Amino acid sequence: VIKHVGKLTEPCKSILEYFYWKNLKLPEIMKKMKTFKNVDSLKAYKYNCMQRLKTQLSDAFAQAGLI
């Protein structure tokens, strides 16, 4: 999973690392990144990032014959 997070582009990579590895809350991430104007826009972006990651992982598992 970490390998595939590393393949994500910014700001997805940073958002997911802050949220899942550093356990920062969305308002804290918003302050650090200064890219998002409100928590709702960051939340929506994080959701889209997770969807990209899920697609990458699904493709990788399929190529490896695991699904």
Side-chain angles (χ1 to χ4, degrees):
V1 173
I2 293 172
K3 173 183 168 184
H4 289 280
V5 170
K7 290 181 180 180
L8 293 172
T9 57
E10 291 296 339
C12 280
K13 180 180 173 182
S14 292
I15 291 169
L16 296 181
E17 286 177 353
Y18 283 143
F19 191 79
Y20 291 106
W21 279 268
K22 296 185 179 183
N23 296 315
L24 295 181
K25 304 289 183 205
L26 292 176
E28 295 170 303
I29 296 170
M30 193 176 78
K31 288 177 187 174
K32 279 189 169 287
M33 297 189 75
K34 297 181 173 78
T35 306
F36 300 92
K37 298 197 186 296
N38 60 56
V39 173
D40 289 333
S41 64
L42 175 56
K43 187 187 298 185
Y45 204 92
K46 183 180 85 60
Y47 174 82
N48 290 330
C49 294
M50 283 301 298
Q51 294 303 104
R52 287 184 216 153
L53 180 60
K54 286 178 185 178
T55 300
Q56 282 185 11
L57 291 172
S58 179
D59 291 348
F61 288 154
Q63 283 183 335
L66 299 172
I67 55 172

